Amino acid sequence: MQEKYHIITYGCQMNLHESEKIAGVLRRMGYEETETKEDADIIVFNTCCIRENAENHAFGNIGALKKLKKEKPSLLIIVGGCMTQEKGKTEILAKKFPFIDVMFGTLNLEELESLIEQKRKAKKRVVKIREKEGEIVENLEPYRTSYPNAWVNITYGCNNFCSYCIVPYVRGRERSRKAENIVAECENLISQGYKEITLLGQNVNSYGADGSTGATFAELLDKVASIDGKFRLRFMTSHPKDFNEDVVKVMQKHRKIMRLVHLPVQSGSNAVLQAMNRRYTREKYLAEVKMLRSYFPEAEVTTDIIVGFPGETEEDYLQTEALVKEVDFASAFTFVYSKRTGTKAATMDGQIPEDVQKERIMRLVALVNSLTRKKSEKYLGKTVEILCEDFDEKRGYYMGRDEFGRMGYFKSEKNVIGEFVLLKITQANGISLYGEAVKDLDK
């Protein structure tokens, strides 16, 4: 009987892509995917500790498996990802959940197969958390589940040490892949029919900063965009301290590169930005947006914003609101500051009361939503190119995104997943667009 695996993923797009790599390892070992935990022979938790709620969800879901493990002793429960890499967290997991069979970290995902084999040979728990980042392993072929979109890592780790962020401590220092390996992976994906590639890194703009890759980020972007075929190219995340005109000039050279940049500002206050150790000012950020739009007036910017950071005054918060209005973001991911043990911000004076944090986030979300609705209304009557990604069986709509990441829904008599479709927008509902397919561009 075929053994099955089930993966539970928390956190960012980086984690979703790493879960594809975990799935690739398990499939090479002979396992097939199952949608339910009850049918699984191996359950893998790919955890996140960037925010407290993701960590709490992981703890709750791991604990919920105690009964299933008792009923099914042969079930292997594996925990990996950022949470296990966090200092002292494996000891807490081991004590709280003695039924965990294997634990591994973000720096040794490539060892997962050998760790599972070790567990099969021994009764005791297997724990392997590498503390120092090693060479980048290039033979981890992911099992991709996001067609027609594909995610391609160009860097791992981070050197920035923002005062609120635990990423450098759990993902290690920044390492860049060789340019030729990235280009070869992208060429292979295009040959397989993938229509959108997103280059991933904690800070893509610092790609190749140590001179070991044979290319800067702008040069890498140019190489990937030069691959033959019709496809879209995106990149994330850009750090405002490193985002530069060289990248925008490459965007101008290649229409395949989407005119949408994810540029996390985090705060509109210079005082808060300094306390966050972001190493740019409000003025520099606004100048970068102005520079981008001087090349592409239609360019859109998405962002991340944290409210309630230690020491944030009402005036600081209002400066963030003012920046949001000035930039007119396409969308914004908004968060309440979450204290993470081990970061500098966790020990700062001036921690903001929870009720103040909640009140500010509600105001910010209302502002962002109002701007997003106005942008959606501008789509009415226009015809846009959609890359169809999926079909919503419950509602009977095909769905896909335009260049700027806005989701469009439409009816079609035939399966158009993976195809470019011209969509005339007839209705705008918040961040969602509805329309009629005008023409299948692939025919």
Side-chain angles (χ1 to χ4, degrees):
M1 186 177 177
Q2 184 81 50
E3 290 191 297
K4 300 177 180 180
Y5 70 87
H6 182 75
I7 300 174
I8 301 170
T9 308
Y10 302 87
C12 62
Q13 191 57 57
M14 194 80 71
N15 264 25
L16 290 172
H17 183 45
E18 288 189 352
S19 288
E20 291 183 330
K21 294 179 182 178
I22 292 170
V25 171
L26 296 174
R27 291 179 77 85
R28 285 193 297 277
M29 294 179 69
Y31 292 89
E32 67 177 25
E33 187 176 13
T34 177
E35 294 293 325
T36 65
K37 298 186 289 289
E38 291 73 19
D39 290 337
D41 300 284
I42 285 185
I43 297 176
V44 182
F45 289 87
N46 188 12
T47 63
C48 174
C49 64
I50 304 304
R51 305 195 186 280
E52 188 175 18
N53 60 346
E55 192 169 288
N56 290 339
H57 286 156
F59 270 105
N61 288 331
I62 294 169
L65 290 182
K66 182 178 181 179
K67 181 180 178 182
L68 182 61
K69 177 71 171 179
K70 190 173 183 179
E71 296 171 350
K72 194 175 181 180
S74 62
L75 171 66
L76 287 184
I77 297 176
I78 302 174
V79 181
C82 292
M83 204 163 78
T84 53
Q85 195 73 46
E86 189 179 356
K87 187 176 180 180
K89 200 54 62 81
T90 52
E91 291 79 6
I92 294 173
L93 286 164
K95 184 176 181 180
K96 193 174 183 69
F97 309 113
F99 51 85
I100 294 175
D101 296 292
V102 177
M103 286 191 277
F104 67 98
T106 60
L107 303 180
N108 61 315
L109 189 155
E110 75 278 3
E111 296 180 80
L112 178 58
E113 181 173 355
S114 66
L115 297 177
I116 293 172
E117 290 175 348
Q118 286 179 45
K119 175 58 187 175
R120 284 173 169 169
K121 296 174 183 177
K123 291 184 178 180
K124 63 179 182 180
R125 177 190 291 122
V126 176
V127 179
K128 183 70 177 289
I129 311 293
R130 187 186 295 162
E131 294 186 1
K132 292 289 290 183
E133 56 273 6
E135 293 295 318
I136 292 175
V137 177
E138 289 286 354
N139 62 355
L140 282 179
E141 184 65 32
Y143 172 59
R144 299 184 184 273
T145 56
S146 54
Y147 178 84
N149 303 310
W151 310 89
V152 176
N153 284 108
I154 66 170
T155 67
Y156 297 90
C158 185
N159 290 344
N160 288 316
F161 290 92
C162 299
S163 62
Y164 55 83
C165 184
I166 202 165
V167 166
Y169 306 100
V170 297
R171 290 194 173 273
R173 297 299 180 93
E174 185 175 280
R175 294 93 68 207
S176 298
R177 295 176 64 195
K178 296 288 186 183
E180 60 264 30
N181 292 331
I182 296 168
V183 173
E185 181 177 352
C186 293
E187 287 176 336
N188 185 46
L189 289 166
I190 298 305
S191 70
Q192 293 177 39
Y194 284 88
K195 300 295 180 63
E196 181 168 301
I197 292 175
T198 302
L199 304 180
L200 286 179
Q202 298 293 339
N203 177 11
V204 293
N205 303 100
S206 59
Y207 169 83
D210 62 359
S212 65
T213 64
T216 64
F217 176 60
E219 291 167 342
L220 174 67
L221 196 61
D222 187 30
K223 290 175 185 289
V224 176
S226 297
I227 298 172
D228 289 338
K230 179 175 173 57
F231 65 95
R232 289 176 172 177
L233 182 58
R234 303 184 188 272
F235 54 88
M236 64 182 301
T237 296
S238 293
H239 195 299
K241 78 177 180 64
D242 296 311
F243 187 68
N244 59 62
E245 195 167 6
D246 288 345
V247 172
V248 179
K249 287 179 178 178
V250 175
M251 293 173 66
Q252 184 183 48
K253 179 180 176 182
H254 298 280
R255 196 59 189 88
K256 292 175 182 176
I257 306 173
M258 300 296 95
R259 303 333 193 198
L260 172 71
V261 175
H262 186 63
L263 197 64
V265 66
Q266 306 300 2
S267 174
S269 160
N270 282 336
V272 174
L273 290 173
Q274 184 175 10
M276 289 177 166
N277 193 36
R278 291 291 286 175
R279 289 182 280 177
Y280 57 84
T281 62
R282 171 196 183 94
E283 291 74 22
K284 174 175 168 55
Y285 185 92
L286 291 172
E288 289 176 357
V289 174
K290 183 178 180 180
M291 179 270 294
L292 173 68
R293 288 176 172 161
S294 72
Y295 282 84
F296 316 112
E298 78 280 12
E300 293 284 13
V301 179
T302 57
T303 198
D304 298 341
I305 302 173
I306 297 172
V307 300
F309 188 79
E312 180 188 69
T313 65
E314 175 67 10
E315 178 57 33
D316 291 325
Y317 167 76
L318 290 175
Q319 288 178 36
T320 296
E321 276 199 2
L323 184 141
V324 168
K325 293 174 184 176
E326 184 170 350
V327 175
D328 192 20
F329 293 109
S331 65
F333 299 95
T334 56
F335 307 95
V336 170
Y337 166 70
S338 176
K339 185 189 292 188
R340 306 311 295 143
T341 302
T343 63
K344 184 177 179 180
T347 61
M348 286 181 176
D349 294 332
Q351 300 288 329
I352 306 299
E354 185 177 338
D355 61 333
V356 176
Q357 289 183 324
K358 287 184 177 179
E359 190 267 343
R360 287 178 185 167
I361 195 71
M362 289 175 66
R363 288 157 62 189
L364 183 62
V365 169
L367 171 61
V368 169
N369 287 347
S370 69
L371 296 175
T372 302
R373 282 194 297 272
K374 288 179 182 178
K375 284 188 176 290
S376 291
E377 289 168 1
K378 292 179 181 179
Y379 276 86
L380 289 173
K382 293 183 178 180
T383 299
V384 297
E385 182 181 273
I386 296 288
L387 173 58
C388 184
E389 301 177 355
D390 206 350
F391 178 68
D392 186 336
E393 293 187 7
K394 188 174 181 180
R395 301 168 64 195
Y397 283 102
Y398 282 91
M399 52 201 288
R401 299 182 188 276
D402 78 337
E403 174 175 7
F404 305 111
R406 196 59 58 98
M407 185 66 77
Y409 296 85
F410 60 99
K411 300 276 188 177
S412 175
E413 294 181 358
K414 65 186 184 72
N415 185 347
V416 289
I417 294 174
E419 297 181 8
F420 291 98
V421 175
L422 281 178
L423 193 65
K424 184 174 182 180
I425 306 304
T426 57
Q427 180 184 348
N429 183 13
I431 62 172
S432 301
L433 307 173
Y434 295 83
E436 299 172 354
V438 176
K439 179 184 177 184
D440 184 347
L441 298 186
D442 285 351
K443 301 303 179 186

